[in-house]
Amino acid sequence: MAAQIWGSEKRARRRREISAKIAQMPELHDSKPLPFMTREEKIMESARKLTILTEKMGQIIDPTDPAELYHLNNEVLGLEGNPMALHGVMFIPALSAQASDEQQAKWLPRALRREIIGTYAQTELGHGTNLQNLETTATYDLATQEFVLHTPQITALKWWPGNLGKSSNYAVVVAHMIIKAKNYGPHPFMVQLRDEKTHEPLPGITIGDIGPKMAYNIVDNGFLGFNKYRIPRTNLLMRHTKVEADGTYIKPPHAKINYSAMVHVRAYMLTGQAIMLASALNIATRYSSVRRQGQIDKSQPEVKVLEYQTQQHRLFPSIARAYAFQFAGAETVKLYEHVLKEMKSGNVSLMADLHALTSGLKSVVTYQTGEGIEQARMACGGHGYSMASYISEIYGVAIGGCTYEGENMVMLLQLARYLVKSAALVKSGQSSKLGPLVAYLGVKSEPTSLIDRIPNSGFTEYVKTFQHVSKRQTLKAADMFFGLMEKGEKREIAWNKCSVELNRASRLHTRLFIVEAFVRRVNEIADIRIKEALTDLLHLHVNYELLDIASYALEDGFLSASQLDYIRDQVYLYLGKIRPNAVSLLDSWEFSDIELRSVLGRRDGNVYENLFKWAKSSPLNKTDVLSSVTQYLKPMMEKARL
Ligand SMILES: CC/C=C\C/C=C\C/C=C\C/C=C\CCC(=O)SCCNC(=O)CCNC(=O)[C@H](O)C(C)(C)COP(=O)(O)OP(=O)(O)OC[C@H]1O[C@@H](n2cnc3c(N)ncnc32)[C@H](O)[C@@H]1OP(=O)(O)O
Ligand SMILES: Cc1cc2nc3c(=O)[nH]c(=O)nc-3n(C[C@H](O)[C@H](O)[C@H](O)COP(=O)(O)OP(=O)(O)OC[C@H]3O[C@@H](n4cnc5c(N)ncnc54)[C@H](O)[C@@H]3O)c2cc1C
């Protein structure tokens, strides 16, 4: 099963080998539990381990393999980020995709050797979503052949970029490029921020940390202002766009090609989300099979809380989602790598499809991951609320994904643009022009769902039902939009008036893709036992998801009330079938105790003793009487007694 999750037997074996090596290297372990550290201590601890990793990485992993690097980071540095998180996640990808060969030769080896630390500085205090209204400017000075970076007002301060505040000395900065008074829109520039020897900010640069956040507090998300700060013309990233010495602008082959670093993260973050969901579920499911509370049959002893159907209903559909996201994520990464290769050789025709797909997936996956992790926390009762469970930290990190790389509603609307264009093709009889991901929009469906009517139909009837609801909602939302425009409404106003319906279509389309990716994967599996276990999980997935969106299928009578009862019964049937496999389905992800950082989710199940040990190690317990008591509470009580 681990091979299915991680992509191959070799990958699963390598993960095990890497975890085993890390277990033998105490210098790479947290020196004390992260929840007991201050933010400064955590950053220091992370930098310490990061430095050792830079020295010893080659002994543990193949540093050129992104999957091994990702695993190493998760084990050693953890989910809360690290002082170089954005260096790998966005700075290097941005240089790789947007810098010319000559620029790459100059900067990439230094970045890869970690001679310099970089980030991706795009979002500002006043604007994050609407890139066209970013306010930082890069004005070309023809006389000196330099760009002059400037922050005209407070809202133009860069705000949020990870590791910008204190750790990075370089950044890819996105600014409006102005040449001879003409604004060419946002473009990426390579900018040195700090002196390489002293790490002091360079003259003309104002920089710092934006303060503590809901989670991710090891990352120094920062602010950055420029006061007429000059950089050479050749620091504009010039793989696709060029500016010649005389100010001549050579436009890129696709208007949005400079957004590729964002698409990179949107594609790769899906499996990251799956891992976080599976981690929280691993903790909750293990704990649920240790925790005994109450009886189902009063004549019997107390049961493990995992025996309660409500507990299973709370956890198991999310287990199915974690697998579904992992499989859909793996497919998306493959597609991304393919499109990136094509883009590098000048073919930009697949960019729109990839953008639409990743926009929808990013939004649905992060939202459902957050939901699943929060349910996992509640499933652990009181102990879930303790930082000893570590679930609250996983939650805080995971839901950051609903916001970064494009706020979820906004990204769903990006997918909706693609769906509406596709609907227009269907309506104008040009279904043959539909791309493969939306081809179903042009296919006539049966009048009613055949779920429960055709024996041994596998998952075909389910897929058809998802296709039906997605198609219907897409065409309905598109009709609403076209209808408003026909009545004379301006395009943008009509769009806004339909945007809730449009986003519903985007969600349904994305959920269909996730179901299809799960079905594709299960169909590929040769090992009978693995196939059986995953088929059970897939049954739970399709039935649970369909029940969740049933109103769309009921409103036009595609599903009947009796079919809905059948689907509900199937959910209960598969909850029971999955119960014996539940812990194994999560243990198959092979998270080590070091990686999980959870007292509640320990592999050995020795929860209570370790919770007590953990509580005793709280800094508050270093002394029996705190100074808050001697200074304030004790005098207060004494005064009251007088
Ligand atoms: C290796 C990584 C592994 C794991 C990662 C795990 C953890 C990550 C850890 C920490 C967090 C890390 C990073 C977070 C970093 C950031 O958040 S960086 C900042 C990200 N910011 C955003 O995402 C901003 C969101 N906004 C946008 O993307 C755009 O503004 C917009 C798409 C909403 C709109 O752009 P505009 O330029 O204004 O668009 P427009 O003029 O309205 O045109 C729309 C048309 O353009 C098409 N389009 C837009 N984007 C793309 C694209 N990327 N590719 C192709 N096409 C694109 C769009 O489809 C429209 O086309 P039409 O034909 O319909 O017109
Ligand atoms: C943990 C974290 C890490 C980050 N790291 C980085 C980084 O490394 N580099 C970087 O540059 N940035 C980074 N960011 C910033 C992030 O990318 C932005 O916050 C994000 O893109 C959302 O933009 P915003 O803050 O402007 O939200 P807003 O756009 O102000 O969103 C506020 C509300 O308005 C709604 N809204 C906005 N526009 C529309 C619209 N057109 N239609 C409908 N609704 C709309 C949104 O849906 C939302 O409900 C990070 C953010 C976080 C939380």
Side-chain angles (χ1 to χ4, degrees):
M1 191 62 92
Q4 281 303 325
I5 294 167
W6 301 113
S8 67
E9 280 192 17
K10 182 175 166 234
R11 282 233 171 282
R13 194 180 56 249
R14 282 294 297 149
R15 282 186 95 261
R16 254 170 254 150
E17 287 165 4
I18 292 165
S19 299
K21 278 189 196 160
I22 295 167
Q24 300 305 316
M25 299 173 82
E27 68 275 29
L28 291 180
H29 304 173
D30 301 340
S31 58
K32 61 179 170 180
L34 292 174
F36 291 144
M37 293 187 203
T38 64
R39 187 166 176 225
E40 286 80 354
E41 282 173 332
K42 282 187 191 181
I43 293 173
M44 186 67 103
E45 172 75 347
S46 188
R48 177 187 74 76
K49 289 186 287 184
L50 191 67
T51 319
I52 300 173
L53 279 188
T54 304
E55 290 285 310
K56 299 193 177 171
M57 194 183 309
Q59 298 166 26
I60 312 170
I61 60 161
D62 167 5
T64 62
D65 183 330
E68 294 200 2
L69 201 54
Y70 192 69
H71 177 52
L72 181 73
N73 269 353
N74 273 357
E75 284 251 354
V76 178
L77 301 171
L79 295 171
E80 296 182 50
N82 65 77
M84 286 184 72
L86 264 288
H87 183 79
V89 169
M90 285 198 92
F91 180 65
I92 289 177
L95 290 180
S96 306
Q98 291 162 18
S100 66
D101 289 344
E102 201 182 320
Q103 290 175 320
Q104 286 188 8
K106 186 169 164 195
W107 296 315
L108 259 185
R110 298 196 73 206
L112 290 168
R113 281 197 301 268
R114 300 187 170 182
E115 273 179 40
I116 58 173
I117 302 176
T119 182
Y120 183 80
Q122 179 175 286
T123 307
E124 296 175 354
L125 191 52
H127 291 89
T129 294
N130 184 7
L131 301 181
Q132 303 302 333
N133 277 26
L134 291 177
E135 294 169 286
T136 304
T137 50
T139 308
Y140 189 54
D141 181 344
L142 206 64
T144 59
Q145 291 189 29
E146 288 170 321
F147 281 103
V148 184
L149 289 169
H150 193 58
T151 305
Q153 57 267 322
I154 190 166
T155 47
L157 282 173
K158 292 293 169 194
W159 199 276
W160 269 114
N163 308 127
L164 171 67
K166 296 288 163 189
S167 309
S168 300
N169 52 4
Y170 281 79
V172 169
V173 172
V174 178
H176 273 273
M177 184 166 71
I178 299 167
I179 306 170
K180 296 178 191 162
K182 180 169 175 194
N183 189 338
Y184 288 87
H187 281 77
F189 298 86
M190 173 72 162
V191 183
Q192 183 174 355
L193 306 171
R194 291 173 178 271
D195 184 277
E196 283 195 24
K197 286 206 179 90
T198 64
H199 204 67
E200 290 294 335
L202 292 170
I205 301 263
T206 304
I207 199 165
D209 172 69
I210 64 168
K213 300 149 305 228
M214 189 166 168
Y216 262 136
N217 279 305
I218 301 184
V219 180
D220 46 313
N221 293 78
F223 61 79
L224 165 68
F226 298 106
N227 184 8
K228 302 199 172 120
Y229 183 76
R230 290 176 169 269
I231 55 169
R233 170 183 63 90
T234 47
N235 277 31
L236 165 70
L237 299 191
M238 294 217 214
R239 174 163 289 279
H240 307 292
T241 311
K242 289 180 186 55
V243 170
E244 290 173 352
D246 65 358
T248 305
Y249 177 77
I250 298 162
K251 70 173 192 180
H254 188 292
K256 309 297 176 192
I257 205 158
N258 288 331
Y259 293 177
S260 68
M262 289 185 275
V263 182
H264 170 89
V265 182
R266 287 175 200 142
Y268 273 90
M269 67 190 276
L270 306 171
T271 49
Q273 292 277 323
I275 289 171
M276 286 189 271
L277 180 54
S279 303
L281 291 165
N282 200 2
I283 295 165
T285 308
R286 279 181 181 169
Y287 173 65
S288 297
S289 63
V290 168
R291 180 72 161 182
R292 289 181 183 270
Q293 187 107 236
Q295 293 128 302
I296 293 174
D297 176 344
K298 291 287 173 206
S299 65
Q300 297 298 313
E302 283 199 300
V303 295
K304 296 172 177 175
V305 294
L306 197 55
E307 305 308 343
Y308 293 114
Q309 194 187 45
T310 46
Q311 188 81 348
Q312 296 170 5
H313 192 248
R314 195 169 224 180
L315 296 172
F316 298 176
S318 290
I319 302 181
R321 281 183 177 173
Y323 274 84
F325 298 165
Q326 184 75 351
F327 298 152
E331 280 195 10
T332 309
V333 164
K334 261 192 205 152
L335 179 67
Y336 167 79
E337 294 297 343
H338 172 66
V339 177
L340 186 70
K341 217 163 116 197
E342 291 293 304
M343 269 164 59
K344 281 186 174 164
S345 57
N347 175 13
V348 293
S349 63
L350 295 170
M351 276 179 59
D353 300 64
L354 179 68
H355 173 57
L357 177 70
T358 49
S359 297
L361 280 171
K362 179 259 177 225
S363 307
V364 170
V365 166
T366 55
Y367 183 78
Q368 294 190 344
T369 293
E371 272 187 334
I373 297 174
E374 176 59 352
Q375 284 299 324
R377 178 191 70 76
M378 289 191 271
C380 297
H383 297 320
Y385 196 69
S386 163
M387 290 295 282
S389 78
Y390 206 61
I391 296 181
S392 64
E393 191 63 50
I394 302 174
Y395 178 71
V397 170
I399 59 162
C402 298
T403 306
Y404 67 65
E405 281 324 337
E407 208 286 323
N408 277 356
M409 294 294 166
V410 174
M411 299 324 288
L412 287 170
L413 286 168
Q414 286 291 304
L415 167 57
R417 289 171 77 116
Y418 181 87
L419 292 178
V420 166
K421 274 193 203 165
S422 307
L425 286 177
V426 174
K427 284 174 188 300
S428 59
Q430 301 179 77
S431 297
S432 60
K433 290 191 183 159
L434 292 168
L437 295 174
V438 281
Y440 70 94
L441 294 176
V443 177
K444 197 170 169 343
S445 68
E446 281 115 5
T448 56
S449 171
L450 299 178
I451 282 176
D452 83 341
R453 310 269 154 87
I454 303 185
N456 304 323
S457 67
F459 296 100
T460 312
E461 297 310 320
Y462 281 91
V463 170
K464 282 187 187 169
T465 306
F466 280 99
Q467 286 176 338
H468 174 83
V469 289
S470 176
K471 174 183 166 181
R472 187 162 165 274
Q473 179 62 22
T474 297
L475 298 183
K476 189 173 152 190
D479 273 346
M480 193 175 161
F481 171 61
F482 295 135
L484 283 174
M485 282 202 299
E486 273 161 27
K487 283 189 193 141
E489 202 76 88
K490 264 174 71 178
R491 189 178 180 85
E492 296 78 6
I493 306 292
W495 184 262
N496 190 38
K497 284 187 174 167
C498 303
S499 51
V500 172
E501 290 303 319
L502 288 164
N503 275 2
R504 288 192 169 136
S506 293
R507 287 191 199 93
L508 290 170
H509 170 79
T510 306
R511 291 173 80 162
L512 163 66
F513 177 85
I514 294 169
V515 164
E516 286 179 318
F518 202 159
V519 173
R520 276 192 289 273
R521 176 61 75 92
V522 167
N523 286 342
E524 280 168 12
I525 298 172
D527 183 302
I528 298 295
R529 285 172 316 149
I530 299 296
K531 194 176 185 117
E532 214 172 278
L534 279 182
T535 303
D536 285 348
L537 212 49
L538 179 53
H539 272 292
L540 179 64
H541 186 67
V542 291
N543 285 292
Y544 182 86
E545 300 296 317
L546 200 48
L547 205 52
D548 198 42
I549 58 164
S551 63
Y552 294 97
L554 287 171
E555 62 188 7
D556 69 339
F558 193 70
L559 272 185
S560 66
S562 72
Q563 281 175 312
L564 205 62
D565 283 339
Y566 170 81
I567 291 168
R568 221 176 261 124
D569 286 346
Q570 291 291 104
V571 169
Y572 305 139
L573 174 74
Y574 282 98
L575 289 181
K577 275 199 162 188
I578 286 163
R579 165 62 190 99
N581 275 340
V583 173
S584 306
L585 281 166
L586 291 159
D587 281 354
S588 300
W589 292 68
E590 300 187 336
F591 301 122
S592 70
D593 281 347
I594 292 178
E595 183 175 3
L596 275 188
R597 292 176 166 81
S598 172
V599 180
L600 226 50
R602 294 165 57 97
R603 185 170 278 269
D604 65 9
N606 198 355
V607 171
Y608 296 124
E609 228 167 77
N610 283 292
L611 268 179
F612 191 33
K613 215 190 267 173
W614 195 83
K616 282 193 285 191
S617 71
S618 166
L620 259 58
N621 291 327
K622 273 196 186 135
T623 160
D624 277 333
V625 184
L626 289 181
S627 48
S628 60
V629 174
T630 43
Q631 221 173 312
Y632 296 108
L633 303 185
K634 203 160 147 276
M636 179 194 75
M637 292 188 283
E638 281 164 359
K639 202 170 158 195
R641 276 185 219 125
L642 288 177

